[in-house]
Amino acid sequence: MDRLLRLIDALCAGAENLAIALLYGIAALMLAEVGARAMGHSIPFSWEYCAYGMAAAFFLGMGAALRHGAHIRVLFLRDALPARLGRLLDIAASCAGLALSAVIVVALARLTGKSIARGLVSNTVMQTPLAIPQAVVLAGAALLALAFLARLLRQLTGRQAETDGGRAAGH
């Protein structure tokens, strides 16, 4: 099980680094667009690709954020309960997160599959095949589901669920 948990953590860390690179790319592209507009021109794909990049960055970073305890959580109820009951509530929340993320993965897989089957492209000048940004978002959602699975496995085996012990969540 340790190998599986390390693999999931490594995949999420890699996706996190890709999300960071995408955010820098978005910033660079927006600065280039501002510069182009200052000179009376525009970069035709800047807004479209920044939107795809932002969606990809959000989804690619979610698994790592879960592992680092950086997602917004409401902990007052868990902390107000006896430790055993609070632990069970946290496990139930991880189960719910895993189930919801699995539903999202299935929905995104269907969407991406339909885009591939129909050859759908964006209605912009770039005519980007929609399956490309959809597949990246799907990969991020799948990593989130894996991160929830890893979190649940850690909780069930008495391991620390977050790398920082929840300090990022305000502890």
Side-chain angles (χ1 to χ4, degrees), residues 102-141:
V103 168
I104 292 169
V105 167
V106 170
L108 286 170
R110 288 180 179 163
L111 177 69
T112 305
K114 286 180 183 178
S115 292
I116 291 170
R118 295 177 181 165
L120 297 179
V121 297
S122 66
N123 62 353
T124 63
V125 69
M126 296 306 293
Q127 294 195 327
T128 304
L130 291 177
I132 295 171
Q134 290 169 350
V136 177
V137 170
L138 170 60

Side-chain angles (χ1 to χ4, degrees), residues 19-123:
I20 291 166
L22 282 168
L23 291 175
Y24 280 117
I26 291 166
L29 189 52
M30 282 290 98
L31 286 172
E33 175 66 14
V34 168
R37 286 194 180 201
M39 295 185 287
H41 301 286
S42 182
I43 302 171
F45 58 86
S46 63
W47 291 99
E48 177 184 4
Y49 284 11
C50 284
Y52 296 148
M54 189 57 69
F58 285 154
F59 274 85
L60 290 171
M62 285 194 290
L66 181 67
R67 178 68 174 125
H68 296 303
H71 278 282
I72 296 172
R73 299 181 294 168
V74 181
L75 300 174
F76 72 91
L77 179 60
R78 184 195 72 182
D79 293 345
L81 295 171
R84 186 164 191 260
L85 196 54
R87 181 176 176 270
L88 289 175
L89 180 64
D90 211 14
I91 289 171
S94 291
C95 288
L98 176 58
L100 182 60
S101 60
V103 168
I104 292 169
V105 167
V106 170
L108 286 170
R110 288 180 179 163
L111 177 69
T112 305
K114 286 180 183 178
S115 292
I116 291 170
R118 295 177 181 165
L120 297 179
V121 297
S122 66
N123 62 353

